[in-house]
Every structure is written in C-alpha cells, then in structure tokens.
Amino acid sequence: MNYNLIVGCGFSGATLANLIASKLNEKVIIVDKKNHIAGNCYDYRDKNGIMIHKYGSHIFHTNNEKVWKFVRQFGDFNQYMHKVIAVIDGIETTIPFNFNTLYDVFPHTLARKLEEKLLEKFEYNKKVPILEFQKQDDKDLKFLANYVYEKVFLHYTAKQWGVNPDEVDGAVTARVPVYLSRDNRYFQDKYQGIPLEGYTKLVENMLNHPNIEVRLNTDYKDVKENFDRLFYTGAIDEYFNYKLGQLPYRSVKFKLIEYNREFYQNNSVVNYPCNYDFTRIHEYKYYLNDKSEKTVIAKEYSEFFEPGKNERYYPIPKDENTKLYNKYLEESKKLENVYFLGRLGDYKYYDMDKAILRAIELFEEIKERK
Ligand code: FAD
Ligand code: UDP
C-alpha cells in the first residue's frame, strides 16, 4: 500500500486525493496551511445568508466532458451564465467588446459604419485578441482598435498586472477578446454554472472518503511522516527554497462592504477599466440568487505578491518568468516520486477546469506506473 501526501486542498489537490483514494484504494494525507479547504475557490455563507467567494468571483465553465462529468459527482450546478458589465466613459456596456458594445458606446451611424467594415474583414462570431485587433490598415478600424485598447485594456491591465497589455503574455488579454458577435456572455463554454451548495461543499464532498485524512493549518514543512509519493500544489519556487530565484506573482485584495439595500449594482461583476484604483466590483448574491434585504460587494485591488505580506493569486505569464519556471521544472525532474501541479506548482494561469484536468491527467499517468 502506497502512502500519499498531497500539499494543498484546492481543486488540484482535492481532485488527485479523490482519484487516488477511490480508484487506487490508497491512503492520502492532504494538508493545507490555510484554515479551510477549497483553496482560492473557497466560499462561505455570511450572516445574511449570502454566499461569499472569499477570493473573488468564481464561475465554473468548461468544454471538457471528462471534467464536467467528474465535478458533477460531487454536487449539482445551476445554469448561471456569466456576463460582465464595464463602465466605459460612464456608459454601462458589455465586456468582451462586441457588436452590442459598439452600439452602446458610439452614435448609431458610426457604430453601423464600423460594424459593416468589421464584417467585411472578419467572419461573424470570430474572437480577435486585442493585440491582433490593433493591426488594422483601415483608418476607421484603426480608430476602433485604438479606442478598445485604450478604454478596455490599457488601464485595466496596468491596474491588474502593473504593466501595459503588450508587456504581459498575449494569452492574458486574449482571454477577453474582441468578439464579433452579439453574444453577451463572458464565456462560450458548453457547461457553465455555480455549484448549488458552493465550491467549499463540492470540495468537501471530493475529500469525503475513508482513505483521505485532511489536515488544515498545516504547512508542508511541518509534516513529519515519510511518504511514498508527494504531490505539491504550492509554489514550486518556495518548495526549492527559492534557490534559483523567486517567481513573481500578482496578489489581490478584496474590500468587502455590506449595504442595507437589496442590490448595489445590476450585475454580478462590473469592471471599471479606466476609473478608480480597483479593477472590478463583485456582488455575490447574484450567483445563487440569494435572497436578503442586504447585499455584500467586494472591490478588487491588485498588487504585487510579497512573501509574508499577501498571498499568491496569479502567476505572471511572461517569457523571463517561464524561463525561470522551466529551470525549476528541470530540478523537479531530478526528484523521485515528487510531482508538482496546480496554478502554483505548474506556474500556469489555470482556470478551475484546467486545474482539474491537469490533476486527472497526472492521476492517469501515475496509475500507469503503478
Ligand atoms: P489553489 O486554489 O491556489 O490551492 C493551492 C492550495 O495550496 C492553497 O489552499 C494553499 O494554501 C495551499 N498551499 C500552498 N503552499 C502550501 C504549503 N507549503 N503547505 C500547505 N499548503 C500549501 N477559475 C475559473 O475557472 N473561473 C473563475 O471565475 C475564476 N475566477 C478566479 C478569480 C480570481 C481572483 C482568482 C485568483 C482565480 C480565479 N480562478 C477562476 C482560478 C481558480 O482559482 C484556480 O484555477 C484554482 O483555484 C486552482 O486550484 P489549485 O488547487 O491549483 O490552487
Ligand atoms: N482585461 C482588461 N479589461 C477588462 C477585462 C480584462 O484589460 O475589462 C484584460 C486584463 O489584462 C485581464 C485579462 O484581460 O487581466 C484577463 O481577464 P479575466 O477577466 O479573464 O481575468 P481574471 O478573471 O482571471 O482575473
């Protein structure tokens, strides 16, 4: 019988713990230095009965059948389809920038002219990353591209990442492309929703197995037992005591405010690309349609990660960081039966479904080796 230690009770660790315990019938100890499970997806009901996403809004979305089938064993989801509103020049409109946005922010005749030019150049429904969209020859489309770059991406990205859009990996801004469509949803994935009982309950159900022991408030460094395999979903540079240098991360701060009124804004997330120091405001009661005379919002402020001061939230996808990560990856290959995964272990900007898929694939790999 193998004994497995998993570091981190987020989706990556919990997925692996569940698969090892249930499919291989092996013992798993899973630890987290936090006082709760579910990692950054942790949610809880506050005194008003509103489900708060402690680390910011989490919307589950995937096209992957395997992942969808896996998560639904542990809880049902509602049919919430996420939409994001942005305030641009004082106008509330849709993000990603699409044909509806075009008509919201420009006079009708100008919007119509731009729409026609866009449809001459691009296929309907195409998603064009802003850095590609900027490469326009036509004078009117150039004007539009500059407008979208300035009003949607430039200042938001500066707030979120501390740099201009062209200084982070193109994949980051490509997550929110210019969308030549009238589809106002943030994601087009086949499956989307929020777990009816919350993410924490979903992860609790994943960990609820006689072969799994959960230890909270426990740092990896404090685990004394020996194990046959170690799965590490914490930061890979920290594991190696930063011997090759520190991988940079962005952190986020959420300022929670309760109001004595039913709603604060008319959508779950409102982005403020050009105004204020925060990037967006979350209003949590929308996700599960929570009924309360009060409401709770969170203003999201981004900052650099500094050890001891705040938490790691986002790896920063950028060539020099990937190079450093690759050096750590090479180090990790020298270790036997030690595996890294997750947003921090792989230093990858995974959404929940990608973190789960990575854990499922790693499980399939180790199962073969057994
Ligand atoms: P984590 O959830 O970070 O879990 C890692 C765990 O390891 C943590 O609990 C940490 O405490 C623990 N740990 C680290 N080091 C140690 C140690 N030394 N000892 C013990 N424990 C340790 N994804 C979506 O699909 N949809 C969304 O809408 C979405 N919104 C997001 C919004 C924000 C603001 C952020 C930051 C992320 C969002 N994500 C979203 C991404 C999602 O949070 C991640 O995909 C997911 O949390 C990854 O899970 P993980 O287990 O890899 O990492
Ligand atoms: N972005 C932007 N303006 C917006 C929304 C997004 O500039 O109104 C850019 C920004 O660089 C952001 C990236 O697109 O970090 C990805 O946005 P997403 O909403 O996917 O970020 P997450 O929810 O992961 O923080």
Side-chain angles (χ1 to χ4, degrees):
M1 158 84 84
N2 279 309
Y3 279 79
N4 301 277
L5 175 64
I6 299 181
V7 177
C9 289
F11 262 118
S12 301
T15 300
L16 207 52
N18 178 277
L19 292 170
I20 293 174
S22 62
K23 305 257 188 254
L24 299 183
N25 194 23
E26 292 182 6
K27 294 279 178 210
V28 174
I29 291 182
I30 181 165
V31 301
D32 205 298
K33 61 185 177 187
K34 290 186 175 141
N35 63 2
H36 61 72
I37 59 168
N40 276 349
C41 307
Y42 174 71
D43 54 14
Y44 62 94
R45 282 207 184 274
D46 73 355
K47 59 183 187 320
N48 303 309
I50 299 170
M51 187 70 93
I52 308 289
H53 294 192
K54 180 168 183 191
Y55 304 94
S57 290
H58 276 73
I59 294 92
F60 198 89
H61 58 101
T62 191
N63 279 321
N64 189 290
E65 302 286 341
K66 209 189 255 186
V67 168
W68 185 237
K69 193 168 165 214
F70 178 77
V71 289
R72 283 173 60 251
Q73 296 173 78
F74 309 104
D76 283 336
F77 286 68
N78 66 10
Q79 289 178 10
Y80 175 85
M81 291 204 186
H82 195 44
K83 290 181 184 164
V84 172
I85 285 177
V87 180
I88 299 177
D89 292 344
I91 299 164
E92 289 198 356
T93 185
T94 305
I95 289 290
F97 196 100
N98 67 18
F99 286 133
N100 293 324
T101 325
L102 196 66
Y103 280 89
D104 283 343
V105 298
F106 294 123
H108 192 84
T109 42
L110 177 56
R112 205 188 155 102
K113 180 168 148 194
L114 292 169
E115 184 183 27
E116 277 166 9
K117 288 206 169 182
L118 285 168
L119 288 170
E120 269 167 34
K121 178 142 187 203
F122 300 100
E123 250 174 60
Y124 187 74
N125 247 348
K126 194 171 162 57
K127 292 178 172 171
V128 190
I130 184 64
L131 298 181
E132 192 187 317
F133 192 68
Q134 282 182 298
K135 295 173 193 152
Q136 303 291 348
D137 303 324
D138 180 89
K139 164 173 124 323
D140 295 319
L141 291 185
K142 184 89 207 151
F143 156 79
L144 176 63
N146 286 341
Y147 180 92
V148 178
Y149 180 81
E150 158 87 24
K151 301 288 182 181
V152 178
F153 289 95
L154 180 62
H155 307 289
Y156 188 106
T157 303
K159 282 192 266 185
Q160 171 68 18
W161 299 98
V163 292
N164 286 347
D166 32 343
E167 292 169 282
V168 282
D169 191 298
V172 171
T173 45
R175 288 168 60 89
V176 186
V178 174
Y179 190 20
L180 301 161
S181 164
R182 289 206 181 262
D183 181 346
N184 279 347
R185 295 169 307 165
Y186 208 56
F187 309 112
Q188 277 66 48
D189 301 59
K190 180 170 176 186
Y191 304 112
Q192 316 191 15
I194 310 288
L196 288 173
E197 294 188 85
Y199 290 98
T200 308
K201 185 69 188 167
L202 193 86
V203 173
E204 190 186 312
N205 292 342
M206 289 166 85
L207 297 173
N208 182 13
H209 191 282
N211 285 339
I212 301 177
E213 179 190 333
V214 179
R215 291 184 196 165
L216 296 178
N217 303 304
T218 306
D219 196 289
Y220 163 64
K221 292 188 228 68
D222 302 325
V223 179
K224 300 286 175 252
E225 296 98 323
N226 289 322
F227 289 87
D228 302 300
R229 299 195 200 98
L230 168 65
F231 300 94
Y232 197 86
T233 76
I236 190 166
D237 55 336
E238 186 177 67
Y239 177 90
F240 286 107
N241 288 319
Y242 310 106
K243 69 177 182 185
L244 303 171
Q246 248 192 50
L247 284 165
Y249 290 86
R250 289 301 283 184
S251 186
V252 193
K253 249 193 340 223
F254 293 96
K255 189 174 170 203
L256 279 188
I257 311 172
E258 183 182 299
Y259 287 96
N260 269 324
R261 59 199 228 217
E262 204 181 348
F263 289 100
Y264 176 83
Q265 58 193 26
N266 56 15
N267 195 51
S268 55
V269 176
V270 177
N271 287 7
Y272 290 86
C274 298
N275 296 100
Y276 309 114
D277 298 332
F278 49 83
T279 48
R280 50 189 173 186
I281 298 183
H282 309 255
E283 186 165 7
Y284 293 118
K285 68 192 311 189
Y286 282 103
Y287 293 123
L288 291 171
N289 203 11
D290 295 327
K291 303 289 175 215
S292 169
E293 285 169 6
K294 298 189 176 178
T295 193
V296 173
I297 63 153
K299 292 184 177 173
E300 180 172 341
Y301 298 85
S302 173
E303 56 190 20
F304 268 112
F305 163 71
E306 291 175 50
K309 181 187 158 203
N310 50 20
E311 303 254 352
R312 297 173 175 91
Y313 279 76
Y314 294 87
I316 305 180
K318 210 174 166 188
D319 275 355
E320 63 192 83
N321 302 342
T322 308
K323 276 187 195 135
L324 179 55
Y325 162 72
N326 283 336
K327 288 188 193 162
Y328 278 116
L329 183 64
E330 284 312 309
E331 282 298 299
S332 75
K333 287 180 184 157
K334 295 177 195 161
L335 303 171
E336 248 184 75
N337 295 321
V338 180
Y339 304 87
F340 292 85
L341 70 157
R343 243 197 193 200
L344 308 176
D346 284 341
Y347 198 68
K348 297 236 160 48
Y349 192 164
Y350 288 140
D351 282 331
M352 289 180 273
D353 64 327
K354 296 292 181 321
I356 292 168
L357 184 62
R358 162 79 170 119
I360 293 175
E361 286 175 350
L362 178 58
F363 170 74
E364 282 164 0
E365 202 184 303
I366 57 156
K367 189 178 74 179
E368 292 306 312
R369 278 191 221 156
K370 205 183 163 230

